Amino acid sequence: MEELTLYFSLKYEGDFQSIYNALLKKERVDEQLKHQLLKEIKCKYTTIFSDDYPETLKQINCPPFVLYYYGDLSLVNTKTIAVVGMRDPNIYGEQVTKYFVEGLVNQEYTIVSGMARGIDGIAHQCAIDNCGKTIAVLGTGIEYCYPLRHKELYTELKTNHLVISEYPFHVSPKRKLFPFRNRIIAGLSKNILITQAREKSGTMITAGYALEQGKDVLAVPSGINDFDGCNSLIQQGAKLVIRIDDIVEDEDFG
């Protein structure tokens, strides 16, 4: 099943529904195409039927059939927390993200995020700068660095951390891929920390996946005239966090 699942994932470029349909209908394998596709793989991979597939992802809705990756897959088994937020943070958003990531790394957390510009990129880079470990979940093909400004970051993550995608090769950015990949960010994380967000955004979609998966959503408060995503989450029951101990105490007693 591993090889069959990999074949359909490569053929349909990681599209979940297409892979599901092919497996369900027992679609025939084109051996010539299979051989060609397998030759094109440059990265490592694991399938939902493999022994090293992350157990946490088996528990979510629509678990990816195949994960393509570079780096150290064992990081998925460490103490993880997602740190996510908006793509255009203000100075406050940048500062609180760095503050929390530095503190979390010092508490031996692995930082999970989506390598997007803004809060995601800051979270990854801050983890690296503080000698921590970090996992990037891409919404593009594993070989496609997006945004291009993160080329150096992407290379560092591939070499010394972990980059994951359910999409193979150079699958280009598409609007629908990014919200769907957020279920993986939530799935790989014990909890989700949102440092700054708009009320209608991909970050809020990640929060929704986290709640669906039974994870805690932690939010840093903002001013009443500032971006309203975190304050809205707090009003709806997310835990307000203003210091590292607010997160660590939850882990200790949870």
Side-chain angles (χ1 to χ4, degrees), residues 1 14 31 95 142 144 214 244 252:
M1 281 299 291
E31 292 295 337
Q95 289 175 337
I142 189 66
Y144 196 109
I244 297 299
D252 290 341

Side-chain angles (χ1 to χ4, degrees), residues 104-116:
L104 289 165
V105 163
N106 289 338
Q107 294 292 328
E108 299 184 343
Y109 282 85
T110 296
I111 306 301
V112 182
S113 200
M115 214 183 79

Side-chain angles (χ1 to χ4, degrees), residues 19-242:
I19 301 166
Y20 178 82
N21 291 340
L23 290 169
L24 186 66
K25 296 175 181 177
K26 299 182 179 179
E27 181 181 315
R28 294 186 65 178
V29 175
D30 180 330
E31 292 295 337
Q32 184 175 351
L33 176 61
K34 175 183 167 184
H35 179 71
Q36 177 187 330
L37 290 171
L38 291 175
K39 281 179 59 178
E40 293 178 16
I41 299 176
K42 298 177 182 177
C43 63
K44 300 175 185 177
Y45 60 85
T46 182
T47 80
I48 196 168
F49 300 104
S50 305
D51 292 337
D52 59 353
Y53 186 91
E55 284 296 323
T56 53
L57 291 185
K58 292 182 181 179
Q59 313 305 318
I60 71 172
N61 288 330
C62 302
F65 288 103
V66 179
L67 290 173
Y68 303 92
Y69 70 93
Y70 283 105
D72 182 4
L73 188 62
S74 70
L75 288 178
V76 301
N77 298 317
T78 60
K79 185 168 63 172
T80 54
I81 186 168
V83 179
V84 295
M86 61 192 296
R87 285 172 168 75
D88 298 294
N90 59 21
I91 293 175
Y92 171 76
E94 294 179 10
Q95 289 175 337
V96 297
T97 301
K98 291 177 180 178
Y99 163 75
F100 278 103
V101 170
E102 181 177 355
L104 289 165
V105 163
N106 289 338
Q107 294 292 328
E108 299 184 343
Y109 282 85
T110 296
I111 306 301
V112 182
S113 200
M115 214 183 79
R117 62 185 171 85
I119 298 295
D120 289 21
I122 293 167
H124 290 305
Q125 191 62 56
C126 186
I128 293 166
D129 292 343
N130 287 278
C131 301
K133 288 297 182 179
T134 183
I135 300 170
V137 183
L138 307 185
T140 59
I142 189 66
E143 309 292 346
Y144 196 109
C145 176
Y146 181 82
L148 289 176
R149 70 177 72 179
H150 282 166
K151 185 65 176 178
E152 187 175 335
L153 173 62
Y154 171 70
T155 301
E156 169 66 18
L157 290 166
K158 285 173 63 176
T159 306
N160 296 311
H161 300 270
L162 178 63
V163 177
I164 284 178
S165 178
E166 65 185 309
Y167 307 109
F169 309 135
H170 288 85
V171 175
S172 59
K174 299 179 182 65
R175 184 178 295 273
K176 67 177 183 178
L177 300 186
F178 292 96
F180 194 52
R181 86 59 210 272
N182 291 350
R183 79 196 192 286
I184 303 176
I185 294 176
L188 290 174
S189 309
K190 290 182 170 60
N191 294 313
I192 313 295
L193 173 63
I194 299 173
T195 54
Q196 191 172 57
R198 300 183 191 277
E199 192 164 11
K200 294 181 179 180
S201 63
T203 301
M204 304 299 271
I205 293 173
T206 308
Y209 280 124
L211 293 172
E212 176 186 285
Q213 296 169 13
K215 312 291 178 64
D216 288 333
V217 175
L218 317 172
V220 179
S222 56
I224 60 173
N225 295 318
D226 207 342
F227 303 110
D228 49 9
C230 286
N231 289 348
S232 175
L233 285 170
I234 292 166
Q235 282 184 320
Q236 296 173 57
K239 180 175 179 179
L240 183 154
V241 295
I242 56 174

